Amino acid sequence: MRKLLVNLAFRLWFKRLWRAMPSVSRVRARFLLADRAASLGRRSVPFQRKEIGGVPVEWIGAGEASGGAVIYLHGGGFVLRAPRTDRRFCREMAARSGLPVVLVPYRLAPEYPYPHGFNDCFNVYEGLIRAGVAPQRIVIVGHSAGATHALALLMRARQCGVPQPAAAVVLSAPTDMTAQSPSIAANARRDVMLGPNIWPWAQQLYAGAVPPEHPELSPLFGDWSGLAPISFHVSDAELLLDDSRRAAEKARASGTEVRLSVWKGLPHNFYFLDFLPESREFMGQMLGFIAAMLARAK
């Protein structure tokens, strides 16, 4: 019943946005209102403001990063973030993993199109390493647009000779901005949050004149060899289903260790809905994967 009510609410609140090409201000207002509504009755999450690699970040969880850290790259279609929801998600990761979580509020389009936001993400990763955190003790977690950044970060690190992190966890990753995945048409009705218009919208606002097949916009078209282990999560009801499937297949064929979890009948943002049993199950799976990957470095 909870899943049915959530899907109905998402369809009414979010899906309608994508009947056309909405303005940035309208999308931001809709998501920020949902973020505030979901935070009613909840305590605000304490965090420290720090600067890593020249980028302002939010440090969530007690302790230093000498024993490791999680870098969290938020979603939001490259143009927005839901700060309260992000912080709650990161607080749970920090509390249950025992690791501090570095939440990166990277610069957003259209004010800062590609590559500004992505550069922020990469600079934080490099900055942590320069600060003395061993790369094999760092895990990258990204959701939606942040998952695109996470995958592109692995590829740029390899290209630049920067060591790979212990692993990456990517949640509902857009890997093909050219919109060629079959699930875009197959799940056009089933997806209760996104519509096909989001691709030309993101191309216009974030990619600009850069070809959408550029690997840092569409990691699917990049080189997947020599990357850290990657755990993909996605719902079978999402437009993005085949973005994850195709990427996982390509990574596996390139010799990269891959896990793919496909969840049933859930919305794009189910990971943050902690009242759903599937969300709690997902969190357990993700934390188990992170612990297993970090254990390899001991």
Side-chain angles (χ1 to χ4, degrees):
M1 178 61 71
R2 289 183 182 181
K3 186 193 296 188
L4 291 174
L5 291 174
V6 164
N7 282 334
L8 177 60
F10 272 56
R11 188 176 294 280
L12 293 173
W13 188 252
F14 296 113
K15 183 77 169 184
R16 291 181 177 182
L17 284 170
W18 303 108
R19 291 177 179 174
M21 295 282 280
S23 67
V24 172
S25 60
R26 185 182 178 207
V27 174
R28 285 176 175 172
R30 183 66 58 95
F31 276 79
L32 290 174
L33 184 57
D35 185 37
R36 287 195 294 270
S39 303
L40 292 174
R42 297 176 183 254
R43 294 181 180 179
S44 59
V45 175
F47 63 92
Q48 301 176 57
R49 298 188 188 277
K50 295 191 177 187
E51 187 173 288
I52 300 174
V55 179
V57 301
E58 298 179 3
W59 188 280
I60 297 175
E64 299 299 322
S66 56
V70 174
I71 296 175
Y72 178 68
L73 309 178
H74 65 81
F78 306 101
V79 305
L80 62 91
R81 66 175 292 215
R84 297 170 179 84
T85 301
D86 290 336
R87 290 170 191 148
R88 286 197 302 274
F89 184 75
C90 290
R91 176 181 58 188
E92 184 169 4
M93 277 197 291
R96 293 180 58 178
S97 69
L99 299 169
V101 177
V102 181
L103 197 168
V104 184
Y106 53 84
R107 287 172 290 177
L108 299 171
E111 294 85 357
Y112 297 97
Y114 171 82
H116 293 91
F118 172 61
N119 286 345
D120 291 343
C121 301
F122 186 77
N123 289 341
V124 169
Y125 177 61
E126 272 198 314
L128 269 184
I129 296 173
R130 289 173 179 164
V133 183
Q136 65 268 26
R137 301 295 302 169
I138 299 173
V139 175
I140 314 293
V141 177
H143 170 249
S144 196
T148 302
H149 289 330
L151 295 170
L153 188 157
L154 299 184
M155 294 178 183
R156 183 185 282 188
R158 184 204 52 225
Q159 181 180 350
C160 295
V162 177
Q164 291 285 295
V169 182
V170 292
L171 317 178
S172 300
T175 66
D176 179 6
M177 195 175 280
T178 69
Q180 297 181 53
S181 286
S183 56
I184 294 173
N187 282 344
R189 291 182 177 272
R190 290 190 69 201
D191 193 311
V192 297
M193 187 167 181
L194 303 177
N197 282 338
I198 196 168
W199 272 266
W201 189 79
Q203 288 176 20
Q204 176 183 338
L205 296 173
Y206 177 62
V210 181
E213 62 271 17
H214 189 292
E216 290 185 349
L217 301 175
S218 297
L220 181 70
F221 303 114
D223 179 0
W224 289 80
S225 61
L227 303 183
I230 305 169
S231 175
F232 289 86
H233 291 265
V234 69
S235 168
D236 69 347
E238 289 192 74
L239 299 180
L240 292 166
L241 172 62
D242 288 334
D243 276 39
S244 288
R245 284 175 167 170
R246 295 165 67 207
E249 290 173 4
K250 189 166 183 180
R252 194 174 289 117
S254 299
T256 291
E257 182 179 345
V258 173
R259 301 184 189 184
L260 172 63
S261 297
V262 179
W263 299 84
K264 303 297 182 183
L266 291 160
H268 178 68
N269 278 7
F270 86 90
Y271 314 98
F272 312 107
L273 306 178
D274 51 12
F275 55 86
L276 288 178
E278 293 91 344
S279 174
R280 296 192 293 273
E281 183 182 352
F282 151 75
M283 181 63 73
Q285 282 191 23
M286 178 178 68
L287 293 172
F289 174 78
I290 289 173
M293 295 300 103
L294 291 177
R296 294 181 178 181
K298 293 183 178 179

